[in-house]
Amino acid sequence: MKSADKQFAVIGLGRFGLSVCKELQQAGAEVLAVDLDEERVRVAASFVSQALVANCTNEETVAELRLSDYDMVMVSIGADVNASILSTLVVKEAGAKNVWVKANDKFHSKILHKIGADHVILPERDMGIRVARKMLDKRVLEFQELGSDLAMTEIVVGSQLMGKTLGDLALCKEQDVQVLGFKRGPEINKTPDYQKRLEIGDLIIIVGPRDTLAKKLSSL
Ligand code: ATP
């Protein structure tokens, strides 16, 4: 099923909820955005399929939203923990299948799991983990300028690149970026096998025009 065929509901339109709505809608999904606050609903209405003012702690109101028809429901209410917990409970009891909830802390998260949340997000913790993984994956040493706009740098393979091949990374003459050497363990191989699967800790030494290298690295 493509994201365009999927239906999502997002309850609570703070910064987090609104950015979830935006991303889902841009991916072509159908999005229902819900909040108590008319102004926030008005903001969401400018880019989502449907936006409604509703109090999601109220069983009758939630029943009218027919959330069991949606593929996923996100409850992103942060400041008011009671409203977050109660809305999650009401949404689950209304038959929503796959309910993701944003939590403020571990204790909030524990309660959400207990009342049946299918997935709990701790944004700061999850983002910290993602950023650290990205940093590890792109543990790139400083560019060494070689003159005439050429530069050299190194990529340390982390979890995101693990299992791919040099061929997958499209580091080749045609792309203007070339592999100068490949290091696994103590040995540097100047003619690496482009089909060999990368392992965590492998070092890829690459050379190319500075801007192309920077673009290439940010796309890996
Ligand atoms: P952030 O802005 O970083 O996402 P946050 O999660 O603390 O932080 P809030 O500002 O609390 O975000 O936003 C949560 C939204 O949830 C608010 O727009 C609020 O009006 C809405 N909300 C609170 N209670 C309910 C409820 N019972 N039903 C529907 N929406 C609610």
Side-chain angles (χ1 to χ4, degrees):
M1 192 185 259
K2 298 195 298 278
S3 49
D5 306 323
K6 289 200 172 182
Q7 289 189 304
F8 298 88
V10 178
I11 297 166
L13 305 173
R15 284 173 305 169
F16 183 87
L18 280 174
S19 71
V20 169
C21 288
K22 250 184 211 154
E23 200 62 28
L24 291 171
Q25 193 74 39
Q26 272 168 12
E30 205 173 298
V31 181
L32 165 68
V34 185
D35 201 291
L36 271 180
D37 184 307
E38 279 183 31
E39 177 54 25
R40 295 198 172 181
V41 171
R42 203 184 53 74
V43 171
S46 63
F47 57 85
V48 297
S49 327
Q50 202 189 355
L52 295 173
V53 176
N55 179 355
C56 293
T57 59
N58 183 298
E59 288 177 343
E60 286 87 45
T61 310
V62 171
E64 284 170 21
L65 299 177
R66 298 182 165 278
L67 295 176
S68 55
D69 293 347
Y70 287 77
D71 295 290
M72 279 174 115
V73 179
M74 160 69 75
V75 178
S76 44
I77 301 172
D80 186 345
V81 177
N82 280 343
S84 158
I85 294 168
L86 200 50
S87 300
T88 304
L89 196 64
V90 170
V91 165
K92 276 307 287 183
E93 285 183 346
K97 296 181 278 277
N98 198 356
V99 181
W100 288 36
V101 191
K102 184 183 96 145
N104 294 335
D105 53 43
K106 264 183 151 176
F107 191 59
H108 186 187
S109 158
K110 202 167 174 181
I111 296 171
L112 293 169
H113 278 297
K114 288 242 180 232
I115 61 171
D118 297 282
H119 185 68
V120 176
I121 299 132
L122 280 158
E124 278 86 8
R125 183 205 59 184
D126 295 349
M127 186 50 101
I129 292 170
R130 278 187 53 189
V131 169
R133 284 192 183 146
K134 272 202 145 170
M135 287 166 77
L136 282 171
D137 280 349
K138 295 197 186 150
R139 200 145 48 91
V140 169
L141 304 185
E142 294 275 293
F143 278 21
Q144 284 180 33
E145 308 287 347
L146 302 174
S148 312
D149 271 352
L150 276 183
M152 188 179 84
T153 191
E154 298 176 1
I155 302 170
V156 182
V157 173
S159 57
Q160 265 180 326
L161 298 183
M162 183 184 72
K164 295 193 173 167
T165 64
L166 284 177
D168 292 336
L169 305 190
L171 298 167
C172 55
K173 255 190 192 153
E174 294 72 45
Q175 301 276 330
D176 242 8
V177 176
Q178 286 183 63
V179 176
L180 273 190
F182 178 82
K183 192 165 180 239
R184 179 172 294 169
E187 308 257 307
I188 290 195
N189 185 346
K190 287 190 204 141
T191 51
D193 176 357
Y194 271 64
Q195 303 311 318
K196 199 164 163 174
R197 303 259 161 227
L198 297 172
E199 291 177 5
I200 288 187
D202 288 346
L203 194 75
I204 311 164
I205 305 158
I206 54 176
V207 67
R210 200 184 196 292
D211 291 351
T212 317
L213 272 195
K215 247 189 232 154
K216 186 77 217 167
L217 290 173
S218 62
S219 73
L220 290 179

